[in-house]
Amino acid sequence: MSANVHSKSMTIKRSAEQAYALAERDGFALLDIVIDDRRLKALLDDDSCGAFVSFEGRVRNHNNASSVERLTYYGYEDLAINQGRQIIEEAKRKFAITHAIAIHRIGALDIGDVAVWVGVASAHRYPAFDACRWILDTVKAEIPVWKQEYYDNQPSKWLSNNG
Amino acid sequence: MSANVHSKSMTIKRSAEQAYALAERDGFALLDIVIDDRRLKALLDDDSCGAFVSFEGRVRNHNNASSVERLTYYGYEDLAINQGRQIIEEAKRKFAITHAIAIHRIGALDIGDVAVWVGVASAHRYPAFDACRWILDTVKAEIPVWKQEYYDNQPSKWLSNNG
Amino acid sequence: MPIAAKDTDPVTDNTININVLYFASLADKANCNEESVTVSQSTSLTQLYEQLSEKHGFSHSPLELKVAINDYFAQWTDSIENGDNVVFITPVAGG
Amino acid sequence: MPIAAKDTDPVTDNTININVLYFASLADKANCNEESVTVSQSTSLTQLYEQLSEKHGFSHSPLELKVAINDYFAQWTDSIENGDNVVFITPVAGG
């Protein structure tokens, strides 16, 4: 396996600044550096919102029985952004929420690093919980991001959310 | 209405350091200053946890039809701490979670201030969502904290979560 | 059973001293956050609340309230003892 | 319909040029992240995938894959046109 065939999908085409601007406008972006949740939360601030729910998906030190050393996420950025925008639009139709942002990180990640972040602000609490969970599930099901886990005791593997 | 009869319930007896230590040990505390969610998140960090869900309840600029200017929370700290500890213990029995912390702030708050913070870390995502929501609901139902809202167009009111 | 002054001796006259804390609207009505009351040994929590309601003009029915003894929630049927801290809890509003 | 070289003229010979991107395990098998292929104008997405599977030894059934045209998810029954970007999407693993 050559590293070169994947290297383009380990980084985003835009700058981080452009990615945050996209997240603010469309509610979705890929990033290839540490996700700044402070910055994302600030984008969701709204005095009319009494509820803010956020989810962070972090790289665990194990998956099933295997000990994970690190992993790499690869993304198809242009499709991810188009699909992510539609997911956020649909979330705003389905739930009584004010703002929502989801970010997926790509590239090489270490244990504990945040791979996906979802934040939702709403007037009341239940729609924020419901929408955050739905956005996360939908991102995991639909966004073209792939994951390769590296273990200490066996070859790396391509993972799949579909089992 | 005299301010003196409520002044003791607007502050906590312990220092903020003691409150954070209590939150780390028992999963619950009252605070009378800005809630430091960074610090609470750090207490919940665990390499075995792939999921982190947090909720922030912020002071909204409106409640029903009224425009809220500010509000004050009052707490019965000793009961709150005993009940909060039991809520977190029960959450850990009910849900497959690793850690959970809930903090309620008391005293005078402005629009946008965080009044309640709940964070849950778990290996998988659904228990974190379920536990975070359950802890929040149970805190709102059981923790002895009272709220007085101040409006621009009418006298202040004691609020109730029971309608 | 009227509420007596705090200096009554509980040992000799079959009364007990209870420390009552007030929060929220009850503190407004009582115009204090704490008071010590002396009641007969057999006084129930319901009777204690009735006496204090009469004294301070509380408008809540006990059905709307919870009660705590010594910083833990209690049942209305729990008995109280000399030196207990009792708090009547109006509907809470956290979060 | 065999895959022809890129420099074939689509106007004169009823073929179209398609740009195919590869990700994850398909990129491993194809040993590239992108290639331009020339196919007959009437080629369906399923036929395109079959041809590329034969060329690169892909093991996924099309039933396991999604397909995207020009950076949007598409149906397997959608037609492709000269200049389209086509991507076959193996099961994703975000989050």
Side-chain angles (χ1 to χ4, degrees):
Chain A
M1 179 182 51
S2 154
N4 289 335
V5 305
H6 300 299
S7 54
K8 271 192 175 173
S9 58
M10 289 176 63
T11 57
I12 61 174
K13 298 173 175 178
R14 10 179 92 64
S15 67
E17 284 303 313
Q18 289 172 319
Y20 282 106
L22 190 63
E24 179 168 21
R25 196 193 71 185
D26 290 350
F28 187 87
L30 295 188
L31 261 187
D32 52 12
I33 54 170
V34 171
I35 296 171
D36 182 351
D37 61 314
R38 269 277 177 281
R39 183 168 180 174
L40 294 170
K41 268 178 72 168
L43 296 179
L44 292 166
D45 250 354
D46 189 318
D47 283 351
S48 74
C49 291
F52 174 73
V53 171
S54 65
F55 174 87
E56 289 183 9
R58 299 174 182 167
V59 179
R60 277 183 297 152
N61 57 10
H62 65 281
N63 190 4
N64 302 321
S66 297
S67 176
V68 177
E69 294 207 313
R70 61 190 175 85
L71 57 70
T72 303
Y73 283 99
Y74 306 89
Y76 173 8
E77 185 183 12
D78 291 332
L79 176 60
I81 279 167
N82 286 332
Q83 192 65 13
R85 182 180 66 246
Q86 293 173 39
I87 290 170
I88 298 299
E89 285 169 359
E90 192 174 345
K92 289 182 176 176
R93 284 192 298 270
K94 285 173 77 81
F95 304 97
I97 61 174
T98 307
H99 301 302
I101 290 178
I103 296 278
H104 206 298
R105 183 174 167 190
I106 58 174
L109 273 72
D110 292 318
I111 306 298
D113 280 348
V114 174
V116 61
W117 188 93
V118 182
V120 178
S122 59
H124 300 287
R125 66 192 190 280
Y126 292 139
F129 277 107
D130 291 341
C132 188
R133 183 174 178 147
W134 182 87
I135 290 167
L136 175 65
D137 284 350
T138 311
V139 162
K140 285 174 75 87
E142 298 184 357
I143 292 295
V145 165
W146 296 271
K147 172 163 70 174
Q148 215 173 12
E149 281 185 353
Y150 299 86
Y151 314 97
D152 54 6
N153 57 353
Q154 52 177 304
S156 67
K157 267 199 294 213
W158 288 104
L159 281 287
S160 159
N161 287 341
N162 305 337
Chain B
M1 178 182 51
S2 156
N4 289 335
V5 305
H6 299 301
S7 54
K8 272 192 175 173
S9 59
M10 288 175 64
T11 57
I12 61 174
K13 297 172 176 181
R14 16 180 84 65
S15 67
E17 284 305 313
Q18 291 172 319
Y20 281 106
L22 189 64
E24 181 167 19
R25 196 192 71 184
D26 289 349
F28 187 86
L30 296 187
L31 261 186
D32 53 11
I33 55 171
V34 171
I35 295 171
D36 182 350
D37 60 312
R38 268 277 177 281
R39 182 167 180 176
L40 294 170
K41 268 177 71 168
L43 296 180
L44 292 166
D45 251 354
D46 190 317
D47 282 351
S48 74
C49 292
F52 174 73
V53 171
S54 65
F55 174 87
E56 290 183 7
R58 301 174 181 167
V59 179
R60 276 184 297 152
N61 57 12
H62 66 282
N63 190 3
N64 302 322
S66 296
S67 176
V68 177
E69 294 206 314
R70 62 191 173 83
L71 57 70
T72 303
Y73 283 99
Y74 307 89
Y76 172 10
E77 186 184 10
D78 292 331
L79 175 60
I81 279 167
N82 285 331
Q83 191 65 15
R85 183 181 65 247
Q86 294 174 38
I87 291 170
I88 298 299
E89 285 169 0
E90 192 174 344
K92 288 182 176 175
R93 284 192 297 271
K94 286 172 77 82
F95 305 98
I97 60 174
T98 307
H99 301 302
I101 291 178
I103 295 279
H104 206 298
R105 183 174 167 191
I106 58 174
L109 273 73
D110 291 319
I111 305 299
D113 281 348
V114 174
V116 60
W117 188 93
V118 181
V120 178
S122 60
H124 300 287
R125 66 193 190 279
Y126 292 138
F129 276 108
D130 291 341
C132 187
R133 183 175 178 146
W134 182 86
I135 291 168
L136 175 65
D137 284 350
T138 309
V139 162
K140 287 175 73 89
E142 297 183 358
I143 293 294
V145 166
W146 295 270
K147 171 164 71 172
Q148 215 173 11
E149 281 185 355
Y150 299 86
Y151 313 98
D152 54 6
N153 56 353
Q154 52 178 305
S156 68
K157 268 199 295 214
W158 288 103
L159 280 288
S160 160
N161 286 341
N162 305 337
Chain C
M1 178 65 51
I3 296 163
K6 191 182 177 177
D7 55 356
T8 320
D9 179 0
V11 175
T12 57
D13 65 356
N14 290 329
T15 62
I16 53 175
N17 290 324
I18 300 294
N19 191 50
V20 183
L21 302 182
Y22 294 115
F23 293 92
S25 61
L26 297 188
D28 286 338
K29 288 277 187 159
N31 201 32
C32 66
N33 56 37
E34 185 167 8
E35 69 177 330
S36 182
V37 299
T38 301
V39 294
S40 92
Q41 238 171 3
S42 61
T43 302
S44 71
L45 282 165
T46 312
Q47 287 170 330
L48 175 63
Y49 180 70
E50 276 167 11
Q51 289 173 25
L52 295 167
S53 285
E54 199 166 311
K55 180 178 176 186
H56 297 302
F58 296 154
S59 54
H60 288 92
S61 148
L63 297 173
E64 300 173 73
L65 305 181
K66 292 184 182 178
V67 61
I69 302 175
N70 299 332
D71 305 326
Y72 282 88
F73 279 116
Q75 304 297 317
W76 279 97
T77 50
D78 288 350
S79 59
I80 44 177
E81 290 172 28
N82 187 55
D84 276 352
N85 280 290
V86 170
V87 188
F88 300 104
I89 310 284
T90 58
V92 300
Chain D
M1 178 64 52
I3 295 163
K6 191 182 174 177
D7 56 358
T8 322
D9 180 358
V11 176
T12 56
D13 65 358
N14 289 332
T15 61
I16 54 175
N17 290 323
I18 300 294
N19 192 51
V20 183
L21 302 183
Y22 296 113
F23 293 92
S25 61
L26 297 187
D28 286 340
K29 289 276 187 163
N31 200 30
C32 67
N33 57 35
E34 186 168 7
E35 71 177 328
S36 183
V37 299
T38 302
V39 295
S40 92
Q41 235 169 7
S42 59
T43 302
S44 70
L45 282 166
T46 313
Q47 289 169 329
L48 175 63
Y49 180 71
E50 277 167 11
Q51 289 174 24
L52 296 167
S53 285
E54 200 166 315
K55 178 178 178 187
H56 297 301
F58 297 154
S59 53
H60 288 91
S61 148
L63 297 173
E64 300 172 74
L65 306 181
K66 292 184 183 179
V67 61
I69 303 174
N70 299 332
D71 305 327
Y72 282 89
F73 279 116
Q75 304 296 318
W76 278 97
T77 50
D78 288 350
S79 59
I80 45 177
E81 289 172 29
N82 187 55
D84 276 351
N85 280 290
V86 171
V87 188
F88 301 103
I89 311 283
T90 58
V92 299

